[in-house]
Amino acid sequence: MAKKKIGVLTGGGDAPGLNAVIHSLVRACHSMMDCELVGYKFGYRGLYNNDFMPLTRDTTSGILHRGGSILYNSNKDNLFNYDVVENGKTVKKDVSDVAIANMKKEGVDTLVVLGGDGTLTSARDFARKGINVVGVPKTIDNDLPSTDATYGFDTAVNIVTDNLGRLHTTAESHHRVLVVEVMGRSAGWICLHAGIAGSADVILIPEIPYTMDGIVKKIKERGAAGRPFSIVAVTEGAIEKDGSAVIGKVVADSPDSVRFGGVAAQIANKLEPLIDYEVRHCVLGHIQRGGDTSPADRILSARYGVKAAELIKNGEFGNMVCLRNGKMESIALEDVLGRGAMGETSAGGAKTVDPNGELVSVAKAMGISFAD
C-alpha cells in the first residue's frame, strides 16, 4: 500500500480539545498505517496559501492539555466564497480549485477537517469535488445535532462554573445582583449546565424567553428569605419575551455574521431601578475558550482523533466522526448541518435545549428560575 499523506486543519473559532485531537490523530495514524501528516495554518486560508507545518510525534509532543490550536484558527476563509482583489477591487470568488491544486502539488491525498458548522460545510463541498475528507466536529456550544457531545463544551462549562463560584462571594459580600453573560449563541447548553453546577439563582437561555418581572420576582423572593444577593446567568443569545436577541455587531466576512453581545448589560440597566440592590454585569467572553483543556475533553478528543484515523485507514471518506449513545461512530457529511456552496441547506438544525427537558426540570426543582 502506498504511503498516505494526510493534511489537517482547524477552522472556525478555537476550542479546548483541538490540540488533543491533533495529538491523538497523529499517533493513531502512525500506529495504524504508513503515513505522513502536515497541518495547514489558519484553517482553509493555509490550504489556499499552501502554508503548512509537519505534524509528527515531536511537533505534537506536549500539546494534549493545551487549549487553542497549534495550527491556529480562522473563521473568515470560505474558499468557495473567498475575497480576491481583481483590478483594484475586492470580489468574492470560488477559489477551491487553488486549494485542491496545492494539495496535489504536495501529494496530500486526505484532508482531516476539525471545525463546526461552516467549516464542515466546506469540508462537505470539498468532498463533492472528489477530495478524500474526514470531518471532526468542534464547538464549545455543543449545538451540533449530529453528535451527542463536542469537545470544548466540558471545559467551557468548568470555566463558567468556576467563575460563577468566584462571583458568588463578591455578590454576597456587597449584597449585589450580578448578571453574568456566557457564550452559546442561540443554544443555552453552557449556561444551563454551568448555571446548575455553579448555583445560579436565575438562568436565562434562548430557548425560554424571559421577562424582567420573572427576574425581579426571584430576586425579591431571595431577599425576603434573607439572601440579599443573586447571580443571574444569561446566554449571549437569550431573548426577552416579545423581544429579540441583543446583537453586539455584524461582521460581514464571517460565516456567523451576527455576533451576539450586550444582553447582560441591558438586563442590568433595566433591572436596577426595579429592585433595592445594586446590579453589576460581567461578560466572561473568551475566557471560556482559553487555558488548559479539561480531562473529560482530553479523553473525548482522543476518541475523536483515533476514530478519524480509523476512517482514513478504512477509506471511509466523506464522513464525520460523531459520538452516539456513548460510542464513536460516523455520519455522512452530506447529512451534517450546514449550507452548501450553492446556498442549499443540509438536513438537520441546531441542537438546542428542550424547555421541557430533564435538565430544565432539575433546575426548576432546585429552585432556579428561568424568569418565564
Side-chain angles (χ1 to χ4, degrees):
M1 182 180 294
K3 185 175 184 177
K4 297 191 73 65
K5 190 167 184 180
I6 303 164
V8 184
L9 64 83
T10 55
D14 64 306
L18 283 170
N19 282 328
V21 173
I22 295 170
H23 180 274
S24 62
L25 175 68
V26 169
R27 282 148 183 77
C29 282
H30 281 301
S31 68
M32 293 180 186
M33 67 196 95
D34 185 18
C35 64
E36 176 185 353
L37 293 93
V38 297
Y40 290 100
K41 298 179 181 179
F42 292 105
Y44 288 115
R45 186 197 313 171
L47 196 57
Y48 177 70
N49 293 325
N50 206 28
D51 183 12
F52 59 87
M53 62 175 281
L55 292 178
T56 66
R57 289 181 181 273
D58 288 338
T59 62
T60 60
S61 177
I63 68 170
L64 180 68
H65 67 287
R66 286 169 52 186
S69 169
I70 61 169
L71 299 180
Y72 315 118
N73 288 79
S74 174
N75 59 359
K76 297 183 179 182
D77 300 296
N78 179 1
L79 300 188
F80 293 88
N81 192 33
Y82 196 68
D83 284 340
V84 177
V85 178
E86 290 186 346
N87 300 320
K89 294 183 179 181
T90 300
V91 296
K92 296 285 188 181
K93 292 190 68 175
D94 180 347
V95 297
S96 57
D97 286 341
V98 175
I100 293 173
N102 286 336
M103 290 179 63
K104 290 181 178 178
K105 175 184 175 182
E106 301 299 333
V108 174
D109 52 60
T110 301
L111 184 64
V112 181
V113 177
L114 283 58
D117 179 20
T119 303
L120 291 176
T121 300
S122 287
R124 182 202 61 189
D125 293 338
F126 273 110
R128 288 177 175 178
K129 300 190 78 168
I131 300 300
N132 294 331
V133 177
V134 171
V136 183
K138 172 271 320 172
T139 171
I140 67 169
D141 301 336
N142 200 40
D143 61 350
L144 297 182
S146 48
T147 187
D148 291 346
T150 54
Y151 52 90
F153 172 67
D154 181 76
T155 303
V157 169
N158 285 346
I159 292 170
V160 175
T161 300
D162 177 70
N163 279 278
L164 290 180
R166 294 172 185 273
L167 291 168
H168 258 105
T169 59
T170 183
E172 183 176 12
S173 180
H174 287 272
H175 289 187
R176 285 176 177 155
V177 173
L178 292 182
V179 184
V180 186
E181 184 174 319
V182 305
M183 287 182 170
R185 293 187 58 78
S186 296
W189 295 109
I190 296 175
C191 193
L192 177 59
H193 281 247
I196 293 173
S199 298
D201 305 298
V202 179
I203 294 175
L204 306 178
I205 58 177
E207 297 86 347
I208 304 177
Y210 66 88
T211 66
M212 293 305 301
D213 287 343
I215 301 173
V216 170
K217 178 182 177 182
K218 180 61 179 180
I219 291 170
K220 288 186 175 181
E221 285 177 354
R222 285 179 52 78
R227 293 186 289 275
F229 68 97
S230 295
I231 299 292
V232 178
V234 54
T235 303
E236 59 190 354
I239 301 171
E240 187 173 1
K241 189 174 182 180
D242 299 324
S244 59
V246 179
I247 297 174
K249 62 179 179 179
V250 176
V251 183
D253 61 349
S254 173
D256 293 325
S257 58
V258 175
R259 295 187 180 175
F260 299 122
V263 65
Q266 183 181 91
I267 290 173
N269 290 335
K270 288 184 176 181
L271 183 60
E272 192 165 58
L274 304 176
I275 57 177
D276 295 327
Y277 305 105
E278 184 179 6
V279 181
R280 299 286 182 92
H281 75 276
C282 176
V283 179
L284 295 185
H286 288 80
I287 289 172
Q288 294 157 89
R289 294 185 180 275
D292 286 348
T293 304
S294 72
D297 272 337
R298 295 179 206 180
I299 294 168
L300 180 59
S301 297
R303 297 175 69 190
Y304 271 113
V306 171
K307 184 63 178 179
E310 290 178 359
L311 294 183
I312 296 170
K313 179 186 176 183
N314 297 330
E316 298 178 31
F317 302 117
N319 291 310
M320 184 196 81
V321 183
C322 62
L323 177 68
R324 286 185 169 175
N325 300 317
K327 296 181 179 181
M328 299 308 302
E329 299 179 356
S330 63
I331 183 174
L333 282 166
E334 289 289 345
D335 297 329
V336 174
L337 168 69
R339 186 172 295 277
M342 302 305 294
E344 80 280 12
T345 300
S346 298
K351 179 178 68 180
T352 54
V353 175
D354 180 358
N356 300 309
E358 181 194 6
L359 273 186
V360 172
S361 298
V362 166
K364 289 182 176 180
M366 294 169 61
I368 298 173
S369 171
F370 288 82
D372 49 342

Short mmCIF file of all heavy atoms in Angstrom, two decimals, residues 228-252:
data_model
loop_
_atom_site.label_atom_id
_atom_site.label_comp_id
_atom_site.label_asym_id
_atom_site.label_seq_id
_atom_site.Cartn_x
_atom_site.Cartn_y
_atom_site.Cartn_z
N PRO A 228 -29.84 38.41 50.45
CA PRO A 228 -29.89 39.69 49.72
C PRO A 228 -28.83 39.81 48.62
O PRO A 228 -28.15 40.83 48.49
CB PRO A 228 -29.65 40.71 50.82
CG PRO A 228 -28.75 40.00 51.78
CD PRO A 228 -29.18 38.57 51.77
N PHE A 229 -28.67 38.79 47.84
CA PHE A 229 -27.76 38.83 46.68
C PHE A 229 -28.21 37.74 45.71
O PHE A 229 -28.86 36.77 46.12
CB PHE A 229 -26.30 38.59 47.10
CG PHE A 229 -26.05 37.19 47.59
CD1 PHE A 229 -25.53 36.22 46.74
CD2 PHE A 229 -26.33 36.83 48.91
CE1 PHE A 229 -25.29 34.92 47.19
CE2 PHE A 229 -26.10 35.54 49.37
CZ PHE A 229 -25.58 34.58 48.50
N SER A 230 -27.89 37.90 44.45
CA SER A 230 -28.31 36.91 43.46
C SER A 230 -27.34 36.86 42.30
O SER A 230 -26.68 37.86 41.97
CB SER A 230 -29.72 37.21 42.92
OG SER A 230 -30.70 37.09 43.94
N ILE A 231 -27.28 35.70 41.65
CA ILE A 231 -26.50 35.52 40.43
C ILE A 231 -27.46 35.17 39.30
O ILE A 231 -28.24 34.22 39.39
CB ILE A 231 -25.47 34.38 40.58
CG1 ILE A 231 -24.47 34.68 41.69
CG2 ILE A 231 -24.75 34.13 39.25
CD1 ILE A 231 -23.54 35.84 41.41
N VAL A 232 -27.42 35.98 38.25
CA VAL A 232 -28.22 35.74 37.06
C VAL A 232 -27.27 35.33 35.94
O VAL A 232 -26.42 36.12 35.51
CB VAL A 232 -29.01 36.99 36.63
CG1 VAL A 232 -29.81 36.71 35.36
CG2 VAL A 232 -29.93 37.46 37.76
N ALA A 233 -27.37 34.09 35.48
CA ALA A 233 -26.54 33.61 34.37
C ALA A 233 -27.35 33.69 33.08
O ALA A 233 -28.48 33.20 33.02
CB ALA A 233 -26.10 32.17 34.62
N VAL A 234 -26.79 34.32 32.05
CA VAL A 234 -27.55 34.54 30.82
C VAL A 234 -26.71 34.17 29.60
O VAL A 234 -25.56 34.59 29.47
CB VAL A 234 -28.04 36.01 30.74
CG1 VAL A 234 -26.90 37.00 30.88
CG2 VAL A 234 -28.79 36.25 29.43
N THR A 235 -27.29 33.39 28.70
CA THR A 235 -26.66 33.08 27.42
C THR A 235 -26.66 34.33 26.54
O THR A 235 -27.64 35.08 26.52
CB THR A 235 -27.42 31.96 26.70
OG1 THR A 235 -27.49 30.81 27.55
CG2 THR A 235 -26.74 31.58 25.40
N GLU A 236 -25.60 34.55 25.80
CA GLU A 236 -25.46 35.76 24.98
C GLU A 236 -26.63 35.94 24.00
O GLU A 236 -26.96 37.07 23.64
CB GLU A 236 -24.14 35.72 24.22
CG GLU A 236 -24.01 34.51 23.29
CD GLU A 236 -22.61 34.35 22.71
OE1 GLU A 236 -21.78 35.25 22.94
OE2 GLU A 236 -22.36 33.33 22.04
N GLY A 237 -27.26 34.84 23.60
CA GLY A 237 -28.37 34.94 22.64
C GLY A 237 -29.74 34.85 23.28
O GLY A 237 -30.73 34.62 22.59
N ALA A 238 -29.82 35.04 24.61
CA ALA A 238 -31.12 34.97 25.31
C ALA A 238 -32.06 36.05 24.80
O ALA A 238 -31.65 37.13 24.37
CB ALA A 238 -30.90 35.12 26.81
N ILE A 239 -33.35 35.74 24.86
CA ILE A 239 -34.36 36.63 24.29
C ILE A 239 -35.41 37.00 25.34
O ILE A 239 -35.99 36.12 25.99
CB ILE A 239 -35.06 35.95 23.10
CG1 ILE A 239 -34.05 35.57 22.02
CG2 ILE A 239 -36.15 36.83 22.52
CD1 ILE A 239 -34.62 34.71 20.92
N GLU A 240 -35.66 38.28 25.49
CA GLU A 240 -36.75 38.73 26.35
C GLU A 240 -38.07 38.44 25.64
O GLU A 240 -38.17 38.54 24.42
CB GLU A 240 -36.63 40.22 26.64
CG GLU A 240 -37.62 40.73 27.66
CD GLU A 240 -37.37 42.17 28.07
OE1 GLU A 240 -36.42 42.79 27.55
OE2 GLU A 240 -38.12 42.68 28.93
N LYS A 241 -39.08 38.06 26.40
CA LYS A 241 -40.38 37.74 25.83
C LYS A 241 -40.88 38.90 24.98
O LYS A 241 -40.84 40.06 25.40
CB LYS A 241 -41.38 37.42 26.93
CG LYS A 241 -42.70 36.87 26.42
CD LYS A 241 -43.60 36.43 27.55
CE LYS A 241 -44.90 35.83 27.03
NZ LYS A 241 -45.80 35.40 28.14
N ASP A 242 -41.32 38.57 23.76
CA ASP A 242 -41.79 39.56 22.79
C ASP A 242 -40.67 40.49 22.32
O ASP A 242 -40.92 41.56 21.76
CB ASP A 242 -42.94 40.41 23.36
CG ASP A 242 -44.15 39.56 23.72
OD1 ASP A 242 -44.42 38.59 22.99
OD2 ASP A 242 -44.81 39.86 24.74
N GLY A 243 -39.42 40.06 22.54
CA GLY A 243 -38.27 40.85 22.10
C GLY A 243 -37.38 40.06 21.16
O GLY A 243 -37.82 39.11 20.53
N SER A 244 -36.14 40.44 21.09
CA SER A 244 -35.18 39.75 20.22
C SER A 244 -33.82 39.73 20.91
O SER A 244 -33.60 40.44 21.90
CB SER A 244 -35.08 40.46 18.86
OG SER A 244 -34.68 41.81 19.03
N ALA A 245 -32.92 38.91 20.38
CA ALA A 245 -31.58 38.81 20.95
C ALA A 245 -30.83 40.13 20.76
O ALA A 245 -31.07 40.87 19.80
CB ALA A 245 -30.83 37.67 20.30
N VAL A 246 -29.91 40.41 21.68
CA VAL A 246 -29.12 41.63 21.61
C VAL A 246 -27.91 41.37 20.71
O VAL A 246 -27.11 40.47 20.96
CB VAL A 246 -28.64 42.08 23.00
CG1 VAL A 246 -27.80 43.35 22.90
CG2 VAL A 246 -29.84 42.31 23.91
N ILE A 247 -27.77 42.16 19.67
CA ILE A 247 -26.67 41.99 18.71
C ILE A 247 -25.54 42.94 19.06
O ILE A 247 -25.75 44.15 19.17
CB ILE A 247 -27.16 42.23 17.28
CG1 ILE A 247 -28.23 41.19 16.91
CG2 ILE A 247 -26.00 42.18 16.29
CD1 ILE A 247 -28.87 41.43 15.56
N GLY A 248 -24.35 42.37 19.23
CA GLY A 248 -23.19 43.20 19.53
C GLY A 248 -22.70 43.92 18.29
O GLY A 248 -22.50 45.13 18.29
N LYS A 249 -22.50 43.15 17.22
CA LYS A 249 -22.09 43.75 15.95
C LYS A 249 -22.31 42.73 14.83
O LYS A 249 -22.53 41.54 15.06
CB LYS A 249 -20.63 44.19 15.98
CG LYS A 249 -19.62 43.09 16.21
CD LYS A 249 -18.21 43.67 16.20
CE LYS A 249 -17.16 42.59 16.46
NZ LYS A 249 -15.79 43.15 16.41
N VAL A 250 -22.22 43.23 13.60
CA VAL A 250 -22.35 42.38 12.43
C VAL A 250 -21.01 42.39 11.69
O VAL A 250 -20.46 43.45 11.38
CB VAL A 250 -23.47 42.88 11.49
CG1 VAL A 250 -23.51 42.04 10.22
CG2 VAL A 250 -24.82 42.84 12.21
N VAL A 251 -20.48 41.20 11.43
CA VAL A 251 -19.19 41.06 10.75
C VAL A 251 -19.46 40.40 9.40
O VAL A 251 -19.71 39.20 9.32
CB VAL A 251 -18.21 40.22 11.58
CG1 VAL A 251 -16.85 40.15 10.89
CG2 VAL A 251 -18.06 40.80 12.99
N ALA A 252 -19.39 41.16 8.35
CA ALA A 252 -19.84 40.70 7.03
C ALA A 252 -19.04 39.52 6.50
O ALA A 252 -19.57 38.67 5.79
CB ALA A 252 -19.78 41.86 6.03
#
